Amino acid sequence: MSGIQAIMSRMAEIDALLPGKTQQVDASSGTEFASALTGALGDAESAGTATGADAVTAAQKYLGIPYVWGGTDPATGLDCSGLVQRVYGDLGVDLPRVSRDQAKVGTAVPSLDQAKPGDLVAFGSPVHHIGIYIGDGQMIHAPEAGQDVTVGKVYETPTAIRRVLPETSSNTSALSSLSGLTGADTLTALTGKYGVSSGGSSVYSSLFTQATQKYGLPSGLLSAVAKQESNYNPNAVSSAGAQGLMQLMPATAKGLGVDAMNPTQAVDGAARLLKSHLETFGTVPLALAAYNAGPGAVRKYDGIPPYNETQNYVKKIMANLNAGAAA
């Protein structure tokens, strides 16, 4: 069986996992096939449920919100359990109001070594504090009065770790089990093998288009961000440690559940992050400022922060977007 035939056979297996049928493509056209497989995976992911990684992404938009005891409204402030309840509520999951009750939901995770992004980490007996684990011994939480929602260390052994959402959606898990012929690594290899192989935005245009449509982003935004961030270099690493095509910081990539050096995953993660910033701040310039400087800085200055790097970053990307719209 040839390589294309083997992949087409796998497409038939993927087809059985989707709510509808995948489109038929000419196996001789690698570019069409890669596009069809990318679309199939996107359909399968969208058909799945929310995951732990989605919880981390949802939590990130509340970074910088001030701690307020008893707070449940981001407009005025959140306490630790108010943050957790709000984040999971955004994903359509109803959780109890207080931390001691939240620490009983879901399924128990035996230790921090086995915790996954999105798990709840609770502290004290009785429980008096709770946060959302993001990996590498870090969590997003609302610490105490006088502080803001932030990323911080899991400062002591949790008294409870609870998994409310799966690490991956059921459809994504099923697809990844189709040995070696599905998933982000294979899609990246396919786009390299069948029709696009080096340099420039054209290599990633299908990824940008798919993520733009999937998350409802302004046309051209992802490509403009990639150009400004890495000049379309998937191997770029900045002096600050930002990585890959979309220049995601390791902690951000971890929170999004993506590999920053994998273009397919990086574009999807950046798209989710930009969508979150757009929903939070309402305009493209403010979303770009949050992508560059962090949402906390945008909230602090109630606009684009007065940092030369961030202001130039926003101006250049907006100029590219406007030039594209005028073209």
Side-chain angles (χ1 to χ4, degrees):
M1 181 181 291
S2 71
I4 289 292
Q5 288 173 324
I7 296 172
M8 292 301 292
S9 176
R10 292 303 190 193
M11 279 289 285
E13 295 181 63
I14 293 171
D15 189 58
L17 296 172
L18 299 176
K21 294 292 185 182
T22 54
Q23 68 185 72
Q24 298 298 312
V25 296
D26 180 357
S28 65
S29 171
T31 302
E32 290 181 11
F33 174 80
S35 176
L37 182 54
T38 300
L41 288 172
D43 289 343
E45 182 177 352
S46 64
T49 58
T51 67
D54 293 327
V56 174
T57 301
Q60 288 176 329
K61 68 183 179 182
Y62 297 113
L63 292 171
I65 297 294
Y67 176 96
V68 172
W69 187 84
T72 60
D73 184 352
T76 55
L78 299 167
D79 64 10
C80 65
S81 56
L83 169 67
V84 169
Q85 186 183 50
R86 168 67 65 158
V87 167
Y88 275 82
D90 288 348
L91 300 176
V93 178
D94 292 329
L95 291 186
R97 169 63 188 94
V98 297
S99 59
R100 65 177 176 269
D101 293 331
Q102 292 173 353
K104 300 174 184 176
V105 301
T107 58
V109 177
S111 70
L112 196 64
D113 290 339
Q114 298 174 59
K116 301 293 184 181
D119 289 350
L120 304 182
V121 284
F123 305 89
S125 183
V127 170
H128 58 76
H129 188 61
I130 196 164
I132 298 172
Y133 191 64
I134 65 173
D136 292 333
Q138 303 282 313
M139 62 180 173
I140 294 178
H141 65 142
E144 59 185 355
Q147 297 188 33
D148 298 335
V149 175
T150 189
V151 173
K153 289 182 62 176
V154 177
Y155 52 83
E156 62 183 47
T157 302
T159 52
I161 305 172
R162 309 292 297 189
R163 183 159 300 155
V164 181
L165 294 171
E167 183 182 4
T168 58
S169 71
S170 57
N171 283 332
T172 302
S173 298
L175 289 172
S176 65
S177 70
L178 300 178
S179 61
L181 289 174
T182 64
D185 292 335
T186 301
L187 289 175
T188 302
L190 283 170
T191 54
K193 185 175 181 180
Y194 298 108
V196 287
S197 58
S198 63
S201 63
S202 61
V203 175
Y204 306 108
S205 60
S206 64
L207 297 181
F208 296 144
T209 298
Q210 180 189 352
T212 294
Q213 294 174 350
K214 181 178 179 181
Y215 297 107
L217 297 175
S219 178
L221 178 60
L222 287 170
S223 180
V225 169
K227 176 177 174 61
Q228 184 63 32
E229 290 284 0
S230 69
N231 198 27
Y232 305 114
N233 180 1
N235 300 311
V237 178
S238 77
S239 58
Q243 300 175 337
L245 179 69
M246 307 307 290
Q247 289 292 279
L248 299 171
M249 293 297 290
T252 301
K254 183 74 173 181
L256 291 166
V258 301
D259 177 358
M261 303 302 286
N262 181 308
T264 301
Q265 294 187 27
V267 170
D268 187 84
R272 283 187 277 134
L273 193 58
L274 284 164
K275 178 184 178 183
S276 174
H277 292 331
L278 278 167
E279 290 175 345
T280 299
F281 299 109
T283 69
V284 171
L286 291 180
L288 290 170
Y291 191 94
N292 178 261
V298 176
R299 292 190 184 94
K300 179 179 179 180
Y301 292 102
D302 194 24
I304 300 173
Y307 312 146
N308 287 336
E309 176 190 342
T310 301
Q311 293 195 350
N312 290 333
Y313 176 89
V314 173
K315 288 177 182 177
K316 288 178 180 178
I317 292 179
M318 291 305 298
N320 286 336
L321 283 174
N322 291 333

